[in-house]
Amino acid sequence: MSRMIYAASLLVATLGILSFSAAQERAVPKEAKGGVNQGEPWSLVPKSFQDLKKIPQWPLPTNLQQWRETDRVQTRQTLLRLLGD
């Protein structure tokens, strides 16, 4: 009886994994054959969110005192400028 339960649970797990893998679409490079071609970058993103690609890369703070006194204020000002209202 326990072998049947084990086999049934193995079958259910296998079918579950296969159903997830079949539902994914593959992103392909230009030279590849097959798959689904991707559109232009940022083409489906609303105009109000396209400015987010201008967010600078900020390093992690290494000096807590400096972060509290100057870097935090500058980061906040930059974010408010980028996000607008």
Side-chain angles (χ1 to χ4, degrees):
M1 185 68 170
S2 64
R3 283 187 178 181
M4 272 213 290
I5 294 173
Y6 175 75
S9 62
L10 184 61
L11 178 65
V12 168
T14 304
L15 290 176
I17 291 171
L18 289 177
S19 68
F20 285 123
S21 64
Q24 296 180 356
E25 291 184 13
R26 180 181 296 200
V28 297
K30 291 180 188 178
E31 298 84 22
K33 298 177 182 176
V36 177
N37 291 330
Q38 298 221 348
E40 290 293 318
W42 293 88
S43 64
L44 299 176
V45 177
K47 293 286 184 190
S48 59
F49 290 104
Q50 289 186 8
D51 291 336
L52 294 178
K53 58 186 170 185
K54 299 175 186 171
I55 292 179
Q57 293 290 331
W58 284 295
L60 290 174
T62 55
N63 183 340
L64 183 59
Q65 189 65 28
Q66 178 183 353
W67 165 250
R68 286 182 177 159
E69 293 174 1
T70 59
D71 295 344
R72 184 175 181 179
V73 175
Q74 291 173 353
T75 301
R76 180 177 170 81
Q77 290 172 349
T78 303
L79 281 174
L80 289 176
R81 180 176 42 82
L82 289 172
L83 295 175
D85 297 345

